[in-house]
Amino acid sequence: MTQADTPPSLAEALHQDALAVNAELDRLIPLPDGPERVVHEAMRYSSLDGGKRLRPFLAMRSAALFGVAEDAALRVGCAVEMVHCYSLIHDDLPCMDDDDMRRGRPTCHRQFGEATALLAGDALLTRAFEVLADPATHPDPAVRCELVAALAHASGADGMVGGQMIDLRASQFAQDMPAITRLQQMKTGRLIGFSCEAGAILGKAPSQARLALRNYAHDLGLAFQIADDLLDVEGDAAEVGKRVGKDEDAGKATFVSLLGVERARAQADMLAEQASRHLDMFDERAVLLQAVARFVVERRS
Amino acid sequence: MTQADTPPSLAEALHQDALAVNAELDRLIPLPDGPERVVHEAMRYSSLDGGKRLRPFLAMRSAALFGVAEDAALRVGCAVEMVHCYSLIHDDLPCMDDDDMRRGRPTCHRQFGEATALLAGDALLTRAFEVLADPATHPDPAVRCELVAALAHASGADGMVGGQMIDLRASQFAQDMPAITRLQQMKTGRLIGFSCEAGAILGKAPSQARLALRNYAHDLGLAFQIADDLLDVEGDAAEVGKRVGKDEDAGKATFVSLLGVERARAQADMLAEQASRHLDMFDERAVLLQAVARFVVERRS
């Protein structure tokens, strides 16, 4: 590999992609002058300038495997980030987790009130589908429809929302490893899975490549969640940017409460390694996706 | 017109379409066995067996103008009804209108709790887009994408959600006729507009026919809202199926508070008549859509 071919370091790539996502979200969520302006302000408050942008990164870097135009992948990355941000807004509401802090700032409802936060979440979810269906996302409407269907499936009652539902009622059900694994695959895994799958959809990738990405996303999603559970136990609220220790306070089983810290850490490392290997077929083109698998289990926030 | 060509009466057509909508929603919102089941129960509780099904009726009868397959129009009608039902669930929440009764039954959050109601609304909205993007809705993906984009635009921050936002903060803004008209066009008009437009999209209707339907929907939506305001003042809670008198209690300007009962009634009648005339180009094919314009201003619930 010559110097010119050397991929940027992961930190640099994450940073560059996050900047691009912010700029694109800024365009995709304009600020009108009418009396409805406050809901747009709340949408922007909860989606601009925050978070790791892991999901857009996955979408953009998966798309790059197949030579997809960068602006198309960026739009899809923004759509999945809108869905992620809507889920955080609703999850933070008093009737759900009742959280005051998110990404180091007051949560949306603490800043704008509950009603506005509710509507801002609704509007972000809706906007995500509008962006995907727009011809600017891909010239082929069949590709756009596949993206809409896949995102809806990942984020609806059979995916993320179903996972949130189970999470709320977890204490009423068996909380063993199979149950927690299914819950987390629905709650966070499906959207991470969509992010990777989106690249394959945009690139009309062959089925073998799709399968590799699906397996990668599966292991990555679990590794991500175990790392999240470890942060909830070991992390510092200021660094993490949100309340920690809340799973234990809520009496919720997690990978850490079921496995213990050491085994959970080992499991996360193993999954990250395994995720990486699923992408070996892409050779050095997948180096950033492989690096992000390690990043996900080593992050401090 | 021969006997065989005579259209069924409006009441019969509304009833038949509502039965078809119920049966289709029952299929589109299945009830799984897992611990996430309760969110599906709440989705079904708030969408099956209730309401006038005005929006699906408009979608199905508009589609019929262009010879669209009935099952396609039915799916689109169900999608728009899902969005309508999600908006009612969220609108009824304590942080919004805080209503206990809807369609003569406890509201979703009174029946299932706030968190489940919030998630059921989210899931219905998501499912609507999934249904539209599905190849079963139309063989042409360009048509499906147009439906997704149009529904998202009608229901998001520039449409229904924006209207709900303004409504919440109405007391902080001028509440004159132009302001109330814009609010109501966003809050209820856009989704009614989509319902009619959907038929034209499904039928790949020529632009003149689309424009006629758009004008029809515009006047129908306003007539509908004025009739709603009149019911809020004159209606009986048991008959209407929800709390009445709440606009006055909330100090909200309405068409009735601005125009008075008599002028509001006259305005609704005029708009219904005008809506009807926009469809004259369709001759007797539009007789049911014309009849529903009268129904909308004469209804008691």
Side-chain angles (χ1 to χ4, degrees):
Chain A
M1 195 183 281
T2 66
Q3 183 64 31
D5 290 336
T6 305
S9 76
L10 177 66
E12 177 64 16
L14 278 166
H15 179 66
Q16 288 302 327
D17 285 2
L19 290 178
V21 167
N22 279 340
E24 185 69 12
L25 285 172
D26 182 43
R27 278 190 292 272
L28 292 173
I29 310 169
L31 204 49
D33 272 336
E36 70 275 25
R37 181 180 174 93
V38 65
V39 76
H40 297 258
E41 285 170 353
M43 292 165 78
R44 293 170 61 89
Y45 176 83
S46 291
S47 60
L48 297 180
D49 306 317
K52 293 173 288 294
R53 309 305 194 184
L54 174 66
R55 291 157 193 79
F57 181 84
L58 293 171
M60 293 159 74
R61 298 299 164 168
S62 297
L65 293 176
F66 309 104
V68 172
E70 273 182 36
D71 56 338
L74 179 59
R75 286 177 65 92
V76 175
C78 287
V80 69
E81 189 68 9
M82 287 180 197
V83 172
H84 177 55
C85 293
Y86 122 77
S87 78
L88 298 180
I89 296 173
H90 283 189
D91 226 18
D92 287 337
L93 283 170
C95 70
M96 300 279 290
D97 283 357
D98 194 13
D99 274 312
D100 295 332
M101 296 293 286
R102 167 71 64 185
R103 294 175 173 171
R105 298 194 298 175
T107 47
C108 191
H109 67 276
R110 296 292 291 176
Q111 187 74 14
F112 292 93
E114 280 182 56
T116 302
L118 172 69
L119 293 174
D122 292 345
L124 278 172
L125 173 61
T126 308
R127 182 75 178 123
F129 292 112
E130 191 176 13
V131 167
L132 291 185
D134 190 303
T137 295
H138 197 283
D140 183 347
V143 166
R144 304 200 301 274
C145 275
E146 197 178 344
L147 289 169
V148 169
L151 180 59
H153 189 68
S155 55
D158 294 323
M160 186 179 72
V161 168
Q164 288 173 306
M165 189 73 250
I166 302 173
D167 196 27
L168 278 172
R169 296 162 53 94
S171 61
Q172 299 172 40
F173 298 99
Q175 297 192 78
D176 50 13
M177 275 297 285
I180 299 297
T181 302
R182 179 171 184 268
L183 185 172
Q184 297 299 353
Q185 280 176 333
M186 290 173 76
K187 195 178 169 200
T188 62
R190 291 281 172 82
L191 208 57
I192 285 175
F194 168 79
S195 305
C196 298
E197 188 186 355
I201 294 172
L202 282 169
K204 300 186 179 182
S207 59
Q208 199 193 354
R210 278 189 197 223
L211 184 61
L213 271 172
R214 188 172 308 142
N215 289 334
Y216 164 80
H218 177 273
D219 292 338
L220 181 77
L222 276 181
F224 177 88
Q225 189 55 50
I226 297 175
D228 228 44
D229 290 352
L230 283 163
L231 279 175
D232 190 64
V233 172
E234 300 180 323
D236 173 75
E239 203 178 346
V240 176
K242 61 183 179 184
R243 184 158 57 95
V244 296
K246 62 185 195 177
D247 292 329
E248 191 178 347
D249 293 350
K252 280 183 189 171
T254 68
F255 290 114
V256 176
S257 74
L258 290 170
L259 297 175
V261 166
E262 272 187 48
R263 281 178 62 204
R265 165 72 53 206
Q267 181 75 6
D269 289 341
M270 187 278 286
L271 285 163
E273 176 61 30
Q274 190 171 293
S276 237
R277 280 203 307 270
H278 288 306
L279 302 186
D280 284 347
M281 64 180 283
F282 297 108
D283 303 325
E284 61 269 25
R285 282 178 296 152
V287 66
L288 284 172
L289 287 172
Q290 292 176 319
V292 90
R294 281 241 53 82
F295 165 78
V296 150
V297 293
E298 285 166 4
R299 68 202 160 98
R300 303 301 308 156
S301 69
Chain B
M1 196 183 280
T2 67
Q3 183 65 30
D5 290 333
T6 306
S9 77
L10 177 66
E12 177 64 16
L14 278 166
H15 179 67
Q16 289 301 329
D17 286 1
L19 290 178
V21 167
N22 279 339
E24 185 69 12
L25 285 172
D26 182 42
R27 277 189 293 271
L28 292 173
I29 309 171
L31 205 47
D33 272 335
E36 70 275 23
R37 182 181 172 93
V38 65
V39 76
H40 298 259
E41 285 171 353
M43 291 166 78
R44 292 170 61 90
Y45 176 84
S46 290
S47 61
L48 298 180
D49 306 316
K52 294 173 288 292
R53 309 302 194 185
L54 174 65
R55 291 157 193 81
F57 181 85
L58 293 171
M60 293 160 75
R61 298 299 164 170
S62 297
L65 293 177
F66 309 104
V68 172
E70 272 181 37
D71 55 340
L74 179 58
R75 285 178 64 92
V76 174
C78 287
V80 70
E81 189 69 8
M82 287 180 196
V83 171
H84 177 55
C85 293
Y86 122 76
S87 78
L88 297 179
I89 295 174
H90 282 189
D91 226 18
D92 287 338
L93 284 170
C95 69
M96 300 278 291
D97 284 358
D98 194 13
D99 274 313
D100 294 333
M101 296 294 286
R102 167 73 64 185
R103 293 174 174 172
R105 298 194 299 174
T107 47
C108 191
H109 67 275
R110 297 292 291 175
Q111 187 74 13
F112 292 92
E114 281 182 55
T116 302
L118 172 68
L119 292 174
D122 291 345
L124 279 171
L125 173 61
T126 307
R127 184 76 178 122
F129 293 112
E130 191 176 13
V131 167
L132 291 185
D134 190 303
T137 295
H138 198 283
D140 183 347
V143 166
R144 304 201 301 273
C145 274
E146 195 178 346
L147 289 168
V148 169
L151 180 59
H153 189 68
S155 56
D158 294 323
M160 187 179 71
V161 167
Q164 288 173 305
M165 188 74 249
I166 302 172
D167 197 28
L168 278 173
R169 297 161 54 94
S171 61
Q172 299 172 39
F173 299 98
Q175 297 193 77
D176 51 12
M177 275 297 284
I180 298 297
T181 302
R182 179 170 184 269
L183 186 172
Q184 297 299 354
Q185 280 176 333
M186 290 174 77
K187 195 179 169 201
T188 62
R190 292 280 172 83
L191 207 57
I192 286 174
F194 168 79
S195 304
C196 298
E197 188 187 356
I201 294 172
L202 281 169
K204 299 186 180 184
S207 60
Q208 199 192 355
R210 278 189 197 225
L211 183 62
L213 272 172
R214 190 172 305 145
N215 290 334
Y216 165 79
H218 177 273
D219 292 340
L220 181 77
L222 274 181
F224 178 87
Q225 189 55 49
I226 297 174
D228 228 44
D229 290 351
L230 283 162
L231 279 174
D232 189 63
V233 171
E234 300 180 319
D236 172 76
E239 203 177 345
V240 176
K242 60 184 179 183
R243 184 158 57 96
V244 297
K246 62 184 194 177
D247 292 328
E248 191 179 346
D249 294 349
K252 281 183 189 171
T254 68
F255 290 114
V256 176
S257 73
L258 289 170
L259 298 173
V261 167
E262 271 186 50
R263 280 178 62 206
R265 166 72 53 209
Q267 181 75 5
D269 289 342
M270 187 277 286
L271 284 163
E273 176 62 28
Q274 189 170 294
S276 236
R277 280 203 307 270
H278 289 304
L279 301 185
D280 284 347
M281 65 180 283
F282 297 107
D283 303 324
E284 61 269 24
R285 282 177 296 152
V287 66
L288 285 171
L289 287 172
Q290 292 175 320
V292 89
R294 281 242 51 81
F295 165 78
V296 151
V297 294
E298 285 166 3
R299 68 204 161 97
R300 302 301 308 153
S301 69

